Amino acid sequence: MYKHNKRAMQGLAGLSAGVAMAFSVGVSAQALPGTMTWSSYDVGSAGYAEASAMADAFGKQYGTKVRIQPSGSSIGRLQPVLQKRADVGFLATEAFFAAEGTEDFAKKRWGPQDIRVLAGRPAAFGLPTAKDANIRSFADLKGKKIAFVAGNPSVNVKCEAYLGFGGLTVDDVEVVMFPTYGAAMSSIAEGKTDATCTTTTPSQMYELAESPRGIHWLGAPSSDTEGWKRMQAIAPFFGPQVETVGAGLSKDNPAELMSYRYPVLTVRADMSADDAYAFVKAMDETFDIYKNATKVMPRWSLDVSGVPPADAAFHEGAIRYLKEKGIWTADHQKWNDARVKRHQALIAAWDKTMAQGKDLPDDQFEALWQKNREAALSSLN
């Protein structure tokens, strides 16, 4: 799969133009198409539940039928968007990796993708453990079994960052790899692992909290400045958050975790401005229908979900609507302009890398890309 959208479709045999789900022309939310396809995390995940709530609202308000395509892997969620088999991806941190050309997207068949964000809900991410495992500190986590997800750097890198907060690495724990996100999340209640890394609201975490094992969230206090330096050296898009919503959590029992955007509604950069505008407007006009579907759905209010930072730059059509609503500020635009400039620099660096090293073995190619990528980012400073 090639890197940016004007060439992303080259070499994709067997795709017909009729497969793509396109928006109707016009900027009215009522111009949404009769059918749409969205990609998301597995059934049972917070992302799937929130996509389902929005899909139901779109159906009630506009008669739009939405097919949700779940996947346990980052590439499985993003690829349908890039191939125009899905209109919108309800993604996690793979949106950041794809925009940056890192992790799975550092390989020749990928590279930095020219993608954009429509909105992204602030989400807490933590390290839940089985209460009966008596893990109350990072020192207690040493040698314990922790669930990772095969082919899912979105989860795994955040988990590495969380370990980094406590001064640990994957070598300090026993990593157990599971084929899907759902299997990894269920593994604690099933007694296969002692901990994992996830948002606070998946159904499997509520099941864990109600199971004989119980649930405990290993915190990342904002007062631990050295811990946060270590964490952000691995995952710079995180910040501290006091979370009261989720399995085992409440206003009386909060946890200091880390915050990022999940789900982040991701589209191709070549989506028309009118189409992006129509989708964000529809999100806004149906908010009262879906806002109480889960405890975190109120965070989809555009004054919260429609502002930076996010995993990639915001789409110009989304920005148009956010400006009309009085949400988008000059500071937001400054952030977005810098992010677009970064996208462009990385895409140019990838083109250079492909020209220089397309015939190199994979390990040498990735080393060359890393060198060129770092040089491109340094030029922006």
Side-chain angles (χ1 to χ4, degrees):
M1 202 71 42
Y2 276 93
K3 282 41 69 190
H4 30 102
N5 292 325
K6 66 181 180 181
R7 290 178 290 131
M9 300 305 107
Q10 294 175 3
L12 294 174
L15 292 178
S16 68
V19 174
M21 298 292 180
F23 286 92
S24 299
V25 177
V27 299
S28 168
Q30 286 77 4
L32 289 175
T35 60
M36 299 179 70
T37 299
W38 303 345
S39 65
S40 80
Y41 257 83
D42 287 338
V43 175
S45 69
Y48 185 88
E50 293 171 43
S52 298
M54 284 192 191
D56 182 63
F58 278 29
K60 288 177 178 177
Q61 185 84 358
Y62 313 115
T64 298
K65 295 181 179 179
V66 179
R67 173 178 175 262
I68 300 174
Q69 182 175 325
S71 175
S73 74
S74 57
I75 289 176
R77 290 184 294 277
L78 183 60
Q79 194 167 28
V81 176
L82 299 176
Q83 293 181 343
K84 297 187 178 181
R85 292 188 289 109
D87 303 286
V88 179
F90 281 62
L91 306 185
T93 311
E94 65 266 17
F96 177 79
F97 299 146
E100 294 284 303
T102 58
E103 300 299 329
D104 287 349
F105 302 95
K107 301 184 184 303
K108 287 181 186 179
R109 63 191 292 264
W110 286 105
Q113 303 294 314
D114 204 7
I115 56 177
R116 294 292 184 270
V117 167
L118 300 180
R121 174 179 67 76
F125 190 90
L127 200 156
T129 71
K131 195 171 185 179
D132 65 6
N134 294 316
I135 299 170
R136 299 295 182 268
S137 70
F138 283 91
D140 296 334
L141 192 61
K142 287 186 177 181
K144 298 293 186 180
K145 293 181 179 179
I146 186 166
F148 275 49
V149 186
N152 195 330
S154 177
V155 169
N156 300 342
V157 168
K158 289 197 282 293
C159 215
E160 291 177 21
Y162 224 101
L163 292 172
F165 179 91
L168 303 179
T169 71
V170 292
D171 295 330
D172 296 308
V173 296
E174 182 181 345
V175 172
V176 182
M177 197 68 68
F178 290 86
T180 68
Y181 176 80
M185 296 306 101
S186 298
S187 66
I188 307 177
E190 294 171 352
K192 297 176 181 177
T193 60
D194 299 304
T196 191
C197 300
T198 182
T199 58
T200 63
T201 57
S203 59
Q204 296 92 342
M205 293 300 102
Y206 287 102
E207 291 167 6
L208 174 62
E210 297 300 321
S211 77
R213 300 204 73 185
I215 193 170
H216 173 75
W217 294 89
L218 193 60
S222 58
S223 59
D224 187 344
T225 55
E226 291 305 311
W228 275 98
K229 285 180 182 178
R230 290 192 296 268
M231 178 185 282
Q232 291 176 332
I234 300 170
F237 46 85
F238 288 128
Q241 178 168 320
V242 176
E243 185 57 82
T244 62
V245 175
L249 300 174
S250 66
K251 291 182 179 178
D252 295 328
N253 186 39
E256 289 191 89
L257 307 177
M258 59 186 187
S259 175
Y260 73 114
R261 298 299 175 119
Y262 170 70
V264 58
L265 305 192
T266 307
V267 298
R268 300 174 308 277
D270 65 0
M271 172 184 272
S272 78
D274 287 351
D275 294 345
Y277 177 102
F279 190 96
V280 176
K281 183 176 182 181
M283 284 180 60
D284 190 32
E285 291 183 346
T286 59
F287 179 69
D288 286 342
I289 300 176
Y290 64 75
K291 68 179 181 181
N292 295 318
T294 73
K295 290 183 179 180
V296 295
M297 290 303 279
R299 298 178 188 177
W300 279 109
S301 175
L302 288 179
D303 59 343
V304 177
S305 68
V307 296
D311 299 68
F314 279 73
H315 196 287
E316 61 175 320
I319 293 172
R320 185 206 302 171
Y321 186 75
L322 293 164
K323 284 182 175 178
E324 288 182 7
K325 296 292 290 186
I327 294 170
W328 194 260
T329 68
D331 284 343
H332 296 152
Q333 189 64 48
K334 182 178 179 180
W335 179 92
N336 213 66
D337 290 344
R339 199 71 178 85
V340 170
K341 186 176 180 181
R342 183 182 176 103
H343 284 319
Q344 293 170 342
L346 289 172
I347 288 170
W350 181 264
D351 288 343
K352 177 182 177 180
T353 304
M354 287 296 291
Q356 292 174 335
K358 64 180 179 180
D359 296 324
L360 290 175
D362 289 345
D363 58 342
Q364 294 180 30
F365 177 86
E366 290 182 28
L368 176 63
W369 164 234
Q370 184 62 25
K371 177 184 175 181
N372 288 343
R373 182 178 180 277
E374 290 175 358
L377 295 179
S378 295
S379 71
L380 298 174
N381 296 331

